Amino acid sequence: VQEVSNFLWALATLNAPIGDLLDLVSVYLRKILKAEEGLPTATQMSKHFKRQELANIAWSCAVFGYYPHDLMRILYSGLLGTGRDHDPKRLSELYGDGGLQEQEVMTLIYVQLALEQH
């Protein structure tokens, strides 16, 4: 997933055309998570992703100005958690990080705005 995150970040940095690539990312993430339906939990996601990788994907969506609804829901769940995974301490334990960094928090604004538009 780090490779996908870095690739999208690079394309966004270059403002390169992406076609339907972002639509395919949520399909790819679901396959990795083995979550064909419903919203993957932060517990599932923390086994495969770092929050910085999720934030990079969300930032790429913002740069491209395209916010696939399913992808935004997955990113939100991974970055902020849902249900019992919504607690910041629990998320830090799951991801083994010190919490959301400043740039990740800024990215959440893009994710939140995208979700509110749908």
Side-chain angles (χ1 to χ4, degrees), residues 11-65:
L11 290 175
T13 300
L14 295 170
N15 286 313
I18 57 161
D20 62 353
L21 183 61
L22 288 175
D23 291 316
L24 299 173
V25 172
S26 58
V27 174
Y28 174 70
L29 296 180
R30 285 189 174 282
K31 289 203 181 289
I32 289 172
L33 296 166
K34 296 180 175 77
E36 296 299 322
E37 294 183 24
L39 192 59
T41 66
T43 300
Q44 289 173 293
M45 295 180 75
S46 68
K47 294 175 184 173
H48 301 280
F49 313 123
K50 294 179 182 171
R51 284 198 275 191
Q52 181 62 52
E53 295 163 352
L54 300 173
N56 284 351
I57 294 169
W59 177 83
S60 298
C61 291
V63 170
F64 295 127

Side-chain angles (χ1 to χ4, degrees), residues 62-105:
V63 170
F64 295 127
Y66 183 58
Y67 306 95
H69 185 67
D70 190 44
L71 180 57
M72 290 296 105
R73 290 180 63 230
I74 292 169
L75 295 174
Y76 186 89
S77 176
L79 289 166
L80 288 178
T82 56
R84 74 181 197 99
D85 289 340
H86 190 61
D87 178 59
K89 281 185 182 180
R90 172 136 172 87
L91 287 168
S92 289
E93 291 170 7
L94 287 172
Y95 285 102
D97 61 21
L100 290 173
Q101 304 304 309
E102 183 178 328
Q103 65 272 19
E104 293 164 336
V105 172

